[in-house]
């Protein structure tokens, strides 16, 4: 192997300006070119090589299709998750809006029912005295502010 490398280096870098000095010199300088004399593969070896290359190519194609399938599944799953997140956000907004509506309705119903009068009825108190005190408290609070 080392000699093949040395022979290839000699063959690739000849000195064409120097003439052959003897038969031994010519033999030594020209024998370096035999490193490039390789035997061509026979049809059996070529078929074996082609078969190995085809098997490797099929394996690569198989792996690529598996990777593409995994990528598609991942993208599909991610798209579903995004849709679910959007749906959850919309439901949150609608829930918040509904809670605000319920709160507004309760406040309006509370004002319409006049809770002061209900308290008087429940506890058996006279409405006039309680309502009078409530109105006075409201007036003093307004004046203090």
């Amino acid at each position: 192997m080392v000699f093949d490398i040395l022979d290839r280096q000699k063959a690739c870098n000849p000195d064409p300006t120097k003439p052959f000095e003897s038969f031994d010199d010519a033999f030594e300088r020209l024998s370096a070119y035999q490193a490039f004399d390789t035997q061509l593969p026979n049809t059996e070896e070529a078929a074996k090589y082609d078969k190995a290359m085809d098997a490797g190519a099929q394996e690569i194609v198989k792996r690529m299709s598996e990777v593409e399938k995994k990528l598609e599944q991942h993208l599909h799953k991610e798209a579903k998750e995004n849709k679910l997140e959007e749906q959850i956000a919309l439901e949150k907004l609608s829930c918040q809006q509904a809670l605000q509506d319920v709160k507004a309705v309760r406040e309006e119903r509370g004002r319409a029912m006049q809770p002061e009068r209900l308290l008087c009825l429940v506890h058996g108190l006279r409405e006039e005295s309680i309502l009078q005190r409530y109105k006075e408290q409201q007036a003093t609070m307004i004046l203090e502010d």
Side-chain angles (χ1 to χ4, degrees):
M1 172 120 176
V2 174
F3 293 115
D4 283 344
I5 293 172
L6 292 174
D7 284 345
R8 287 174 189 248
Q9 285 178 345
K10 284 181 187 178
C12 288
N13 301 310
D15 186 7
T17 58
K18 183 178 176 186
F20 296 120
E21 295 175 3
S22 66
F23 177 80
D24 290 336
D25 181 41
F27 181 80
E28 185 180 330
R29 287 170 49 189
L30 293 175
S31 67
Y33 289 97
Q34 75 180 358
F36 296 111
D37 182 26
T38 57
Q39 203 174 27
L40 293 175
N42 59 22
T43 55
E44 186 179 305
E45 290 173 343
K48 186 177 176 183
Y49 175 79
D50 288 343
K51 197 174 192 180
M53 291 302 288
D54 287 344
Q58 288 176 354
E59 182 65 26
I60 290 172
V61 168
K62 182 180 172 186
R63 286 183 183 176
M64 286 298 294
S65 67
E66 289 173 0
V67 168
E68 288 174 352
K69 193 181 289 184
K70 284 181 182 180
L71 179 63
E72 265 184 52
Q73 290 173 350
H74 179 71
L75 291 175
H76 186 65
K77 181 180 175 184
E78 189 175 289
K80 278 186 177 180
E81 288 175 359
N82 287 342
K83 286 180 182 177
L84 288 175
E85 289 174 2
E86 289 175 6
Q87 190 175 8
I88 289 170
L90 289 173
E91 287 179 6
K92 273 185 176 180
L93 287 174
S94 65
C95 185
Q96 289 173 351
Q97 182 65 36
L99 287 174
Q100 289 175 354
D101 292 346
V102 166
K103 186 178 177 182
V105 167
R106 283 182 178 168
E107 288 175 359
E108 187 177 319
R109 186 182 67 190
R111 284 191 296 272
M113 290 177 60
Q114 297 179 349
E116 301 84 13
R117 290 192 178 173
L118 286 175
L119 285 173
C120 291
L121 288 172
V122 169
H123 294 292
L125 302 171
R126 289 189 3 222
E127 287 182 38
E128 302 83 32
S129 63
I130 298 294
L131 291 176
Q132 184 66 29
R133 286 187 205 156
Y134 179 74
K135 289 179 183 176
E136 289 173 0
Q137 285 177 352
Q138 292 289 335
T140 56
M141 290 175 81
I142 292 172
L143 292 174
E144 290 175 359
D145 290 338

